[in-house]
Amino acid sequence: MEIVGTGFLARSLRPLAGRHPDTVALAAGESRTSGATEADYAREAALLRDVGKRCAAGGKLLLFFSTAATGMYGLAEGPGAEDAPVRPATPYGAHKLALERQLRDSGTDHLILRLAHLVGPHGRPHQLVPTLVRQVRAGVVSLHRGAARDLIGVADMLTIIDRLLGAGLRADTVNVASGFATPVEDIADHLARALRLTPRKEYVDAGVAYAISTQKLRALVPEVADLGFGPDYYRRVLNDFIAADHT
């Protein structure tokens, strides 16, 4: 696998670099769910066009990472499914959906993965878990009341991607998630207990709870049943993150 990018997602994909030589993983897109500009979005669209043309010319599969987070499914009725109509809840979600359409319309051989909140070593400072760890250590945690997030660990993401590519899936879209959205307050509480700290909590209204459908993922990758996904899965993901201590 050729990996395009140098950030958190690209580094997380490195264990697959020696596998799937017919695949180019585009892991250099805009990762900020808020604060990105139209120029940032335009740069990612241009990069997708360029990499797509190169893949088409070389007979490669383009692995594109979209989002299954609140920006995409926050307004969905019921668990967000790949084949259901989507009303993006944020400019970031609308941007990712537009890129999905751009890729499909290009004719490039592709696989689109809508990724939940990935957690692992070398996470970017603006991401949810690194942000919460930093706030817990600083003594004050800012929480969006009612918000929930589906967390998935890097190792489990790699297992899923490896199986999907090995199955020869093409021209398709798959959610890569645990299927269990955890209240953000529970995530913060677990981090605080793991770090043996008691931060003060401050609440902000406007939180969004949502769910991601993993029905299609489970049908395509039966091994998902062995990954431990469930209501308490997030605890293992957070414990692994704390143990790595890359915050």
Side-chain angles (χ1 to χ4, degrees):
M1 176 190 290
E2 176 189 345
I3 301 168
V4 178
T6 58
F8 170 53
L9 179 56
R11 296 173 74 177
S12 298
L13 291 170
R14 286 177 182 172
L16 295 180
R19 298 174 59 79
H20 312 293
D22 62 338
T23 300
V24 176
L26 181 52
E30 179 56 56
S31 64
R32 291 172 296 171
T33 57
S34 62
T37 67
E38 289 300 320
D40 295 324
Y41 290 154
R43 279 192 291 272
E44 185 176 6
L47 177 62
L48 177 59
R49 280 193 297 271
D50 292 343
V51 175
K53 289 178 182 177
R54 181 160 62 84
C55 287
K60 302 282 189 177
L61 173 77
L62 199 165
L63 182 63
F64 177 69
F65 294 92
S66 185
T67 181
T70 52
M72 186 68 75
Y73 289 136
L75 299 179
E77 295 182 5
E82 300 91 337
D83 58 353
V86 175
R87 292 189 300 128
T90 65
Y92 177 79
H95 164 65
K96 286 296 187 182
L97 186 61
L99 292 184
E100 291 183 13
R101 291 170 178 158
Q102 174 184 318
L103 180 54
R104 292 190 192 98
D105 292 344
S106 72
T108 300
D109 198 14
H110 68 273
L111 175 61
I112 296 169
L113 302 183
R114 289 179 177 170
L115 189 61
H117 284 264
L118 183 64
V119 181
H122 314 296
R124 300 288 295 277
H126 65 266
Q127 292 175 325
L128 174 67
V129 173
T131 295
L132 288 176
V133 169
R134 194 165 57 249
Q135 291 181 353
V136 166
R137 286 175 168 157
V140 182
V141 178
S142 178
L143 300 170
H144 286 230
R145 197 184 305 275
R149 297 294 182 267
D150 186 315
L151 307 183
I152 185 168
V154 163
D156 295 326
M157 177 201 69
L158 291 173
T159 296
I160 289 169
I161 292 175
D162 191 39
R163 300 300 188 275
L164 289 172
L165 292 176
L169 204 60
R170 298 289 187 275
D172 211 340
T173 302
V174 183
N175 289 333
V176 177
S178 75
F180 293 85
T182 302
V184 172
E185 186 166 7
D186 289 355
I187 296 172
D189 286 345
H190 186 86
L191 291 171
R193 286 193 297 271
L195 294 169
R196 301 180 183 276
L197 296 171
T198 309
R200 185 176 80 254
K201 297 176 183 176
E202 296 181 347
Y203 293 91
V204 179
D205 290 328
V208 176
Y210 71 109
I212 302 170
S213 172
T214 57
Q215 182 176 352
K216 184 174 184 178
L217 173 64
R218 290 173 181 274
L220 292 168
V221 185
E223 293 91 337
V224 165
D226 300 323
L227 296 180
F229 292 163
D232 292 328
Y233 168 74
Y234 79 99
R235 299 178 187 274
R236 173 164 63 84
V237 172
L238 296 177
N239 288 343
D240 289 346
F241 182 85
I242 291 295
D245 197 28
H246 287 289
T247 58

